[in-house]
């Protein structure tokens, strides 16, 4: 990965629909070598997919909830049930296994507290959880899907 590849990735992270001619001009290449580089970035797994980012407010999902889960269950079968349960809940948009005091962290998007309660009920029906703590975001200060590219090899 060189500086041109990093520039291409940065541009594509901002707008994956940027026309090839615009990309090529921005990185000072003609369109064919630029296209080859983008294809190579896809083939090598640097670009995993292209998606449309939906305005959550426009689709009535203005509430973000961070759900911290602590458990005394650390068996593989329990974790598989938990993963399977979370996979069936579309409102859970991120799901992490953590180190530290919290075992799992989920980011949930819903229209209101009642909808979150429905998500919570589905979670606890699916798997035994020893401690669930929910924090409601008051304001989104920074949100990006772009990752920093300074560390790329």
């Amino acid at each position: 990965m060189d500086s041109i590849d990093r520039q291409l990735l940065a541009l594509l992270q901002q707008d994956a629909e940027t026309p090839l001619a615009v990309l090529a001009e921005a990185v000072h290449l003609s369109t064919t070598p630029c296209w080859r580089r983008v294809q190579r970035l896809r083939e090598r797994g640097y670009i995993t997919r292209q998606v449309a980012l939906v305005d959550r407010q426009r689709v009535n999902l203005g509430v973000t909830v961070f759900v911290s889960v602590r458990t005394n269950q650390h068996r593989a079968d329990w974790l598989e049930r938990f993963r399977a349960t979370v996979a069936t809940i579309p409102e859970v948009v991120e799901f992490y296994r953590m180190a530290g005091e919290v075992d799992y962290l989920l980011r949930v998007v819903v229209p209101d507290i009642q909808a979150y309660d429905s998500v919570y009920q589905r979670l606890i029906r699916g798997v035994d959880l020893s401690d669930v703590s929910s924090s409601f975001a008051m304001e989104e200060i920074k949100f990006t899907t772009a990752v920093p590219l300074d560390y790329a090899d």
Side-chain angles (χ1 to χ4, degrees):
M1 162 136 340
D2 63 14
S3 64
I4 292 174
D5 291 334
R6 284 188 197 85
Q7 289 175 47
L8 287 169
L9 286 175
L11 291 165
L12 290 169
Q13 284 189 106
Q14 294 306 310
D15 184 356
E17 292 183 336
T18 303
L20 185 60
V22 173
L23 290 174
E25 183 178 332
V27 299
H28 308 291
L29 291 175
S30 62
T31 54
T32 301
C34 183
W35 178 84
R36 283 189 192 120
R37 280 178 176 264
V38 172
Q39 289 305 112
R40 190 175 66 233
L41 290 167
R42 283 190 180 105
E43 290 164 3
R44 293 184 177 172
Y46 289 97
I47 299 171
T48 58
R49 60 187 165 156
Q50 292 180 215
V51 299
L53 299 179
V54 175
D55 184 323
R56 290 183 331 215
Q57 300 295 332
R58 300 283 305 225
V59 295
N60 194 30
L61 293 172
V63 176
T64 299
V65 187
F66 294 94
V67 181
S68 302
V69 175
R70 285 193 273 187
T71 182
N72 54 11
Q73 302 287 324
H74 297 284
R75 295 183 331 271
D77 63 324
W78 180 89
L79 177 55
E80 191 49 45
R81 273 197 326 276
F82 189 30
R83 283 182 179 163
T85 298
V86 170
T88 67
I89 304 173
E91 294 88 346
V92 178
V93 294
E94 293 182 65
F95 178 33
Y96 301 93
R97 186 168 55 89
M98 306 294 290
E101 292 188 26
V102 171
D103 295 308
Y104 300 93
L105 181 65
L106 295 79
R107 185 169 69 92
V108 176
V109 293
V110 289
D112 53 37
I113 293 174
Q114 288 175 313
Y116 172 67
D117 187 51
S118 173
V119 169
Y120 173 79
Q121 295 299 325
R122 284 181 276 166
L123 271 174
I124 64 172
R125 271 195 307 270
V127 67
D128 291 330
L129 303 173
S130 60
D131 182 27
V132 178
S133 175
S134 305
S135 299
F136 291 80
M138 300 296 292
E139 177 184 9
E140 184 179 279
I141 297 172
K142 179 181 179 180
F143 174 83
T144 183
T145 60
V147 298
L149 300 169
D150 297 340
Y151 305 99
D153 295 338

